[in-house]
Amino acid sequence: MVTATDECLFCAITERSAHVVMSDETAVAFLDIRPVFKGHVLVVPRLHVETLTDLPADLVGPFFTRVRRAAGAVQEGLGAAGTFVAMNNRISQSVPHLHVHVVPRNRKDGLRGFFWPRTKYASAEEAEDYAARIRAALDRAA
């Protein structure tokens, strides 16, 4: 098992990420730098694996428990009506490290099908504000 690699962007982020919202021995969740909507979080396992089928069976439950917590915190912390939770395995996977997208959703927000338009944060401060709101929701749920 490989816990991190020097070549993997997400492994590097788990070690020194900006805008981390959750971090423990199993997973790290952080803001996507090209969010579909502001507050879009990526949840990655600390163990370096490329796809869901590479994740050891004994880590599937603990990892998805973190995804579930992140989904609840994104919804509550941002006042979203719901979330979109998605994962790609190799095809359309921009970084070869397992990651789950947790995207805040609201009715009539414009997201349709599998076309994921991307946006940007106006500043690092704006991104940190979103991260802080999600972290606060995680703290309240703990």
Side-chain angles (χ1 to χ4, degrees):
M1 282 192 210
V2 178
T3 55
T5 72
D6 292 336
E7 300 82 32
C8 176
L9 173 64
F10 287 169
C11 286
I13 287 172
T14 65
E15 299 300 319
R16 58 151 186 37
S17 177
H19 313 302
V20 168
V21 298
M22 179 176 55
S23 179
D24 65 17
E25 69 287 345
T26 300
V28 178
F30 52 90
L31 294 182
D32 191 313
I33 62 167
R34 293 180 46 242
V36 173
F37 298 119
K38 293 176 182 180
H40 175 168
V41 168
L42 298 177
V43 184
V44 304
R46 283 211 179 264
L47 178 67
H48 178 80
V49 295
E50 290 188 19
T51 68
L52 180 59
T53 55
D54 298 326
L55 188 65
D58 63 324
L59 293 179
V60 172
F63 178 69
F64 277 97
T65 296
R66 275 57 172 194
V67 172
R68 182 177 177 268
R69 285 190 67 221
V74 165
Q75 183 173 330
E76 194 226 313
L78 303 179
T83 58
F84 172 66
V85 178
M87 174 190 333
N88 292 305
N89 280 295
R90 289 201 175 88
I91 305 301
S92 297
Q93 187 179 8
S94 58
V95 176
H97 185 124
L98 175 63
H99 55 285
V100 177
H101 298 263
V102 179
V103 180
R105 294 294 312 273
N106 289 292
R107 297 197 191 302
K108 300 185 181 195
D109 60 15
L111 187 61
R112 299 201 187 287
F114 288 98
F115 174 68
W116 294 13
R118 299 298 183 130
T119 190
K120 293 182 180 179
Y121 293 99
S123 65
E125 292 77 18
E126 181 186 36
E128 183 52 35
D129 175 64
Y130 276 82
R133 291 177 358 196
I134 296 166
R135 278 193 298 271
L138 283 163
D139 289 344
R140 285 189 296 275

